[in-house]
Amino acid sequence: MTTKQVYFIADGFQALDLFGPLDAFMETNCHVPHAYDCKLLSIEAGAVATVYGQQVQADFGLEDEFAMDDLIICGGNGMRTLSLSTAQLGALSALAARAKRVFSICTGAFVLAQLFPQQALTLTTHWRHCESLARQNAHCTVSPDPLYIQDEHIWSSAGVLSGVDLALAIVREDHGNSIAAQVAKDLVVYLQRAGNQHQYSDALALQSGDSLKLSPLLDWLSTQLNQSVTVARMAEFCHLSERQLTRLFKQHLNCTPSHYFKVLKLNHARDLLSEENISLQHVATKLGFTCYDSFRRAFVRQFGVSPSHYTKGINQ
């Protein structure tokens, strides 16, 4: 069964907010024929300009009739400041009310929030605009941290590329881990950054001041995932004392060195589990856990689900 998606854009939309998730869904059709059908919607059908002036053609206008399952509201400076007339807002709200799912990409959340004025929503958007979104929409709880948030059938994502993370989460929900993994591989992206990951990556968090001295260590740790690396060995690598190293980790990553390394291993384990027919015991052993049970407990603490339950979607 084909899921019909409609992407709402207006002059000044961000091209990547549209084409990032759209490409992920269209790529899914290579593995599940006719999985998604994607059309463009604007205030009126016809030419719509990106924030940089390039134009695309909207298939529908708000007054047109069309079939729809998912309504996806793209972001961009023009979307964040979009002023809709009462009639236009009413038409778009009616579309949102009949959609099975509603997504916002980046600052598309500013439009989405207007469509559900009587509903308490939990949303996210680009970290730079979270405070403004919350201030303008008292009925919304805005979180600046996650890459994306699901609030029942309403999803919102942070800046630009996190729209691809949201799309992969939807593909996984609709078609399972295996298909989502294949799509991610086709797009040459990680499968998949969890929604509760921070908008700032560890690398970005470390691009200032004395925190830069941790960057070589983090790069090295990513090559040592099948090893047991002590805090003493990490400190030696950085030419720091264990106390100095722990202080830097707490200051810039809000965790201890050992906790960071364990999370790094678990994130890698999650990626490995997206492969078909992989042994859970093999993953645990490969990442240096003393036994499967200790791996299972750590995985549950990190992701809220057991490894075996996580892999069930592979056979969907």
Side-chain angles (χ1 to χ4, degrees), residues 239-286:
H239 306 290
L240 297 170
S241 69
E242 292 184 44
R243 178 176 293 181
Q244 288 173 314
L245 182 66
T246 299
R247 179 183 59 79
L248 281 176
F249 265 83
K250 288 184 176 180
Q251 179 181 351
H252 298 290
L253 294 174
N254 198 33
C255 67
T256 64
S258 57
H259 177 78
Y260 174 86
F261 190 47
K262 179 173 284 188
V263 170
L264 200 64
K265 287 191 174 200
L266 291 170
N267 285 340
H268 183 53
R270 182 190 57 199
D271 293 340
L272 291 174
L273 291 177
S274 297
E275 300 175 9
E276 294 190 51
N277 302 318
I278 192 164
S279 163
L280 301 182
Q281 181 63 57
H282 172 73
V283 172
T285 302
K286 181 181 178 69

Side-chain angles (χ1 to χ4, degrees), residues 163-222:
V164 175
D165 294 302
L166 184 151
L168 289 172
I170 297 300
V171 171
R172 169 176 281 169
E173 181 176 270
D174 291 350
H175 301 287
N177 285 348
S178 181
I179 297 300
Q182 291 177 67
V183 173
K185 186 175 181 180
D186 291 343
L187 298 176
V188 197
V189 298
Y190 287 110
L191 177 76
Q192 74 196 40
R193 296 191 296 175
N196 60 3
Q197 287 191 28
H198 288 257
Q199 293 187 26
Y200 282 117
S201 68
D202 293 337
L204 289 175
L206 293 171
Q207 289 178 1
S208 62
D210 63 350
S211 61
L212 282 171
K213 65 182 65 175
L214 287 179
S215 296
L217 173 63
L218 300 193
D219 291 340
W220 179 70
L221 287 176
S222 68

Side-chain angles (χ1 to χ4, degrees), residues 116-150:
F116 301 92
Q118 305 303 319
Q119 183 174 338
L121 297 177
T122 300
L123 302 175
T124 191
T125 188
H126 191 287
W127 59 267
R128 184 178 287 121
H129 301 292
C130 283
E131 183 177 342
S132 178
L133 178 64
R135 186 170 57 251
Q136 294 178 31
N137 300 277
H139 64 293
C140 296
T141 299
V142 180
S143 176
D145 289 330
L147 293 172
Y148 57 85
I149 290 177
Q150 179 183 6

